[in-house]
Amino acid sequence: MPSYSELTAVVGFRSTNAAYKLVTQLVDHGWLEKDTAGKLLPGPRFHAVPVLGTVTAGFPSPAEEELADTMSLDEYLITNKEATYILKVNGESMIGAGILPGDMLLVERGAEARDGDIVIAQVDREWTMKFFRKRGRRVFLEAANQDFKPIYPTEELQIAAVVRAVIRKYT
Amino acid sequence: MEPLTLSTFPRAIVHIDGDAFFASCEQSRRPKLQGRPVVTGKERGIAASMSYEAKARGVTRGMRIADIRKVCPDAVILPSDYETYSLLSKRFFAIVRRYTPDVEEYSIDECFADLTGLRRPLKMNYFEIAARIKKELDAELGFTFSVGLAPNKVVAKIASKWAKPSGLTAIPGKELHRYLAQLPVEKVWGIGPNTTALLQKHDIRTALEFARASEDWVKKYFSKPFFQIWQELNGAYVFELAIGEHETYYTIQKVKTFTPASSERAFVFAQLAKNIEHACIKIRKHKLAAQRVVIFLRTQQFRDFGLEVELTGPTQFPNDILRAVTPAFEELFSPQAAYRATGVILLKLTEAYYGQLDLFGEAIRMQRLSNLYESVDTLREKYGKHTVFLGASFLAHRSAQHDSERGHVPERKLELLPGETTRKRLGIPMFMGEVH
């Protein structure tokens, strides 16, 4: 780092006092630092380039930068974090849609069901998982299993949640 | 009637309160429980929360399970599942934070939020914003919340209570007097039985009568907090929101009930020791140290006896705290009494730091303890909470916390997914019951 008089000459100031003021500004903004003896050192902003990762044998590691555009499995499976619940499947009513007893579901509560969605509805104080079907103004629930009859609601259909993902973990 | 103030919402503060929060968490995940009287707190032997159906049948908070069965034989009494309640509580605050960062997490089931200045960016008036927050909470958490909108916290509290459950009440400043005229003064947040008695001596019965009292009179008879309540009842904004997620622990508290009640000195002390160990786990997790400790013993008659102990220096280790509180325990414990709970509160928390060397080798001793507990914490993380514990709490670990622990474990802890253990589960609430 230059001394005050060297700096005065470089910048073309008339007095070292002007250089001193400039340095004070640069220190305030983090470009320079003073050590205990008052000597100037490069400040934290001097090298303020993003550090992307440690470099080993002279070749830059692009890993960190590339990973910025990846997401976790959580982020991939869950859109609305606050409204997502899990549940375990017991019945076989959706076997034709590939959902088996013991599977785990990620469901979104309060989401609006569209025709063809798999939903968790509340029927006779039980959870039931079915396809949500909409024919004109009429809605009904349909299983993916011929042993189950479609459910035509007599009162308002209570849809608790829409199924967003099925997880089957093998241990 | 003359209004107390002419402005509407110089500040827009909402108070949001989960309706029968714990019981609602249970009802919303089990359709079988909907419309039925539900009570939580089975593991403690008393009602911690009850659904509106149970309230209608005369069940009150703190009521003993045996009495609940008498007044409401068909009540569904469940053990508390604090893990799930906490998960839902976090979601509650996160949903409110979609609208404003200024949220005070007042307790597990209530918060305050400052909506001031949001009308333009959201293109909605304050009532519409409050309604929207309520709609999202109700839909995404699956049970109802009561929302009060007002110019300050004291009035927002009044507003949220106005039409519980599932209420949405706005009290603009210029309408304030109409609400306060109907409200008994003891219903105001912060006004307790003593203050109410004093107010009644001066013929003040409604919140409006208190609000209309002169400033000089209020200052003469009451301390500062009551003067501030008086200011807020007149529409001013005085009590600031304590914003931020609850990451700063001003005190750390562990209380644990056990049944049956015990008069056995060693057993009660072991219970206290176990609580101290748990509190220390938490304090180490937050890298804090306590300088003062309160211990208390609760008798079968629900009377608490406590003592405060100043420690010689800040610590985060149960060995130090146990040694310091033993004389206090001896003083509190009476062999004639039967105890049902012990508790510990760690106070005056500072950041843990044992850098300073001293003449008596205290720093070296602390370093040793620190190394020891680093290993203890590693073991705990790997093998679970009670892998290693102090001999002092042995008696409390030997037996189950409650006489009949069966039926006292929340269903979620039994309903494990593949790969989950009793110690670690997915941090996502689960719908319970059969899915067909």
Side-chain angles (χ1 to χ4, degrees):
Chain A
M1 287 284 134
S3 69
Y4 288 123
S5 48
E6 282 164 345
L7 196 63
T8 311
V10 171
V11 188
F13 286 148
R14 279 198 208 146
S15 75
T16 47
N17 192 33
Y20 176 77
K21 277 185 182 157
L22 173 65
V23 166
T24 312
Q25 291 278 330
L26 289 169
V27 169
D28 285 348
H29 286 85
W31 292 102
L32 296 179
E33 262 177 8
K34 283 187 196 173
D35 69 6
T36 43
K39 274 189 80 174
L40 295 177
L41 298 168
R45 280 186 74 179
F46 209 87
H47 302 293
V49 275
V51 179
L52 297 176
T54 29
V55 178
T56 23
F59 293 103
S61 155
E64 296 286 322
E65 197 181 17
E66 295 299 328
L67 287 177
D69 293 332
T70 62
M71 56 174 137
S72 71
L73 196 53
D74 268 21
E75 289 170 299
Y76 174 68
L77 293 172
I78 297 171
T79 316
N80 184 351
K81 203 173 156 228
E82 282 78 40
T84 300
Y85 296 77
I86 41 174
L87 61 86
K88 235 157 95 175
V89 179
N90 315 88
E92 302 192 335
S93 69
M94 292 305 280
I95 232 163
I99 304 177
L100 304 179
D103 282 354
M104 185 182 131
L105 305 177
L106 287 177
V107 304
E108 192 177 323
R109 190 158 214 164
E112 202 188 325
R114 290 161 309 176
D115 179 46
D117 280 349
I118 300 173
V119 298
I120 304 298
Q122 220 174 289
V123 176
D124 297 331
R125 291 191 166 192
E126 300 267 7
W127 297 125
T128 186
M129 173 180 49
K130 298 283 179 299
F131 278 120
F132 177 76
R133 301 290 188 204
K134 211 169 175 179
R135 298 285 173 268
R137 286 176 61 201
R138 213 162 149 215
V139 295
F140 63 98
L141 298 174
E142 189 181 45
N145 182 337
Q146 289 181 340
D147 298 343
F148 292 80
K149 287 202 182 86
I151 302 170
Y152 295 94
T154 44
E155 294 157 38
E156 196 197 349
L157 186 60
Q158 284 191 56
I159 306 287
V162 175
V163 177
R164 297 294 186 208
V166 183
I167 297 170
R168 187 174 307 147
K169 188 177 167 186
Y170 298 99
T171 41
Chain B
M1 225 181 346
E2 198 189 325
L4 291 158
T5 168
L6 291 173
S7 53
T8 52
F9 293 111
R11 295 292 286 254
I13 307 297
V14 283
H15 177 249
I16 311 177
D17 196 356
D19 297 323
F21 193 78
F22 297 168
S24 295
C25 290
E26 298 290 353
Q27 285 181 317
S28 72
R29 62 173 171 174
R30 276 193 200 84
K32 265 200 172 60
L33 299 180
Q34 285 168 19
R36 295 186 60 186
V38 173
V39 178
T40 71
K42 189 179 185 187
E43 80 293 350
R44 292 198 282 167
I46 53 166
S49 163
M50 47 280 154
S51 71
Y52 280 83
E53 296 83 358
K55 281 181 192 174
R57 301 281 293 279
V59 181
T60 53
R61 186 174 297 190
M63 191 182 254
R64 271 182 285 184
I65 301 292
D67 297 330
I68 296 170
R69 292 203 209 278
K70 266 179 239 158
V71 300
C72 186
D74 56 332
V76 181
I77 302 166
L78 299 169
S80 312
D81 180 357
Y82 287 107
E83 182 176 288
T84 298
Y85 309 155
S86 307
L87 287 172
L88 289 166
S89 172
K90 281 202 137 191
R91 290 178 170 207
F92 164 22
F93 303 135
I95 290 170
V96 181
R97 285 204 176 89
R98 290 176 187 167
Y99 292 88
T100 170
D102 299 340
V103 174
E104 173 180 342
E105 299 178 4
Y106 186 70
S107 70
I108 193 165
D109 59 352
E110 23 173 339
C111 73
F112 292 97
D114 189 345
L115 306 181
T116 313
L118 292 177
R119 280 180 295 194
R120 265 225 292 191
L122 295 176
K123 294 195 180 65
M124 288 187 272
N125 64 38
Y126 289 133
F127 186 78
E128 288 165 339
I129 302 170
R132 178 86 165 262
I133 296 174
K134 173 173 162 51
K135 196 178 150 207
E136 285 180 16
L137 287 170
D138 292 359
E140 294 178 28
L141 298 185
F143 56 92
T144 62
F145 286 75
S146 290
V147 180
L149 167 66
N152 57 49
K153 284 168 82 172
V154 168
V155 183
K157 264 258 188 195
I158 294 170
S160 69
K161 275 215 185 68
W162 203 260
K164 241 178 169 317
S166 198
L168 173 60
T169 308
I171 305 185
K174 60 182 182 189
E175 300 291 330
L176 190 46
H177 58 289
R178 295 186 207 285
Y179 289 85
L180 299 190
Q182 300 171 53
L183 190 75
V185 74
E186 66 266 27
K187 298 275 184 200
V188 175
W189 183 40
I191 295 190
N194 285 327
T195 315
T196 308
L198 176 57
L199 286 166
Q200 279 185 350
K201 282 199 179 66
H202 292 278
D203 253 351
I204 288 178
R205 290 195 160 68
T206 69
L208 184 63
E209 284 165 349
F210 181 49
R212 294 237 196 259
S214 77
E215 182 172 340
D216 291 341
W217 182 82
V218 175
K219 278 184 170 166
K220 188 176 158 200
Y221 284 99
F222 297 94
S223 56
K224 196 180 167 202
F226 296 101
F227 172 60
Q228 290 173 318
I229 292 172
W230 176 85
Q231 288 177 298
E232 293 223 330
L233 288 175
N234 278 287
Y237 174 79
V238 180
F239 293 112
E240 302 265 341
L241 272 65
I243 287 153
E245 281 188 56
H246 269 283
E247 281 168 345
T248 41
Y249 284 79
Y250 296 107
T251 65
I252 286 176
Q253 186 172 336
K254 287 283 167 194
V255 187
K256 206 101 193 193
T257 312
F258 45 88
T259 52
S262 172
S263 310
E264 198 189 319
R265 184 188 301 263
F267 179 76
V268 178
F269 187 73
Q271 288 288 346
L272 179 67
K274 191 174 161 190
N275 279 332
I276 290 172
E277 282 195 87
H278 277 171
C280 287
I281 290 173
K282 197 165 174 187
I283 208 173
R284 290 198 298 274
K285 221 183 244 172
H286 292 280
K287 298 191 171 44
L288 297 169
Q291 294 188 65
R292 198 179 283 168
V293 185
V294 172
I295 58 161
F296 64 88
L297 307 179
R298 184 171 297 158
T299 67
Q300 211 168 7
Q301 290 76 36
F302 285 94
R303 288 195 56 194
D304 287 345
F305 297 90
L307 273 178
E308 194 170 309
V309 180
E310 183 87 34
L311 302 169
T312 43
T315 183
Q316 46 175 200
F317 307 114
N319 315 44
D320 288 333
I321 296 175
L322 266 175
R323 198 175 326 119
V325 303
T326 304
F329 173 82
E330 294 301 332
E331 198 168 314
L332 288 175
F333 185 85
S334 147
Q336 282 82 43
Y339 297 96
R340 66 190 315 274
T342 67
V344 62
I345 310 166
L346 305 183
L347 303 162
K348 267 177 84 177
L349 306 187
T350 55
E351 285 188 15
Y353 174 68
Y354 302 113
Q356 195 160 353
L357 283 170
D358 57 296
L359 272 177
F360 309 103
E362 183 61 15
I364 296 166
R365 196 183 70 85
M366 278 299 193
Q367 191 54 51
R368 280 195 191 131
L369 271 175
S370 177
N371 293 344
L372 171 67
Y373 274 94
E374 224 165 87
S375 316
V376 169
D377 290 339
T378 312
L379 280 170
R380 199 193 58 248
E381 269 160 39
K382 204 161 174 195
Y383 300 107
K385 225 174 194 172
H386 307 303
T387 314
V388 273
F389 49 82
L390 290 176
S393 46
F394 174 69
L395 285 174
H397 287 277
R398 198 179 52 174
S399 56
Q401 196 68 23
H402 299 284
D403 212 6
S404 52
E405 200 117 294
R406 273 172 74 103
H408 288 173
V409 180
E411 197 186 342
R412 177 64 179 92
K413 293 202 172 166
L414 304 168
E415 195 68 34
L416 298 177
L417 296 164
E420 284 188 333
T421 67
T422 43
R423 291 198 307 275
K424 254 192 168 163
R425 288 158 299 282
L426 274 183
I428 304 175
M430 189 191 245
F431 280 16
M432 308 306 275
E434 306 269 291
V435 184
H436 298 290

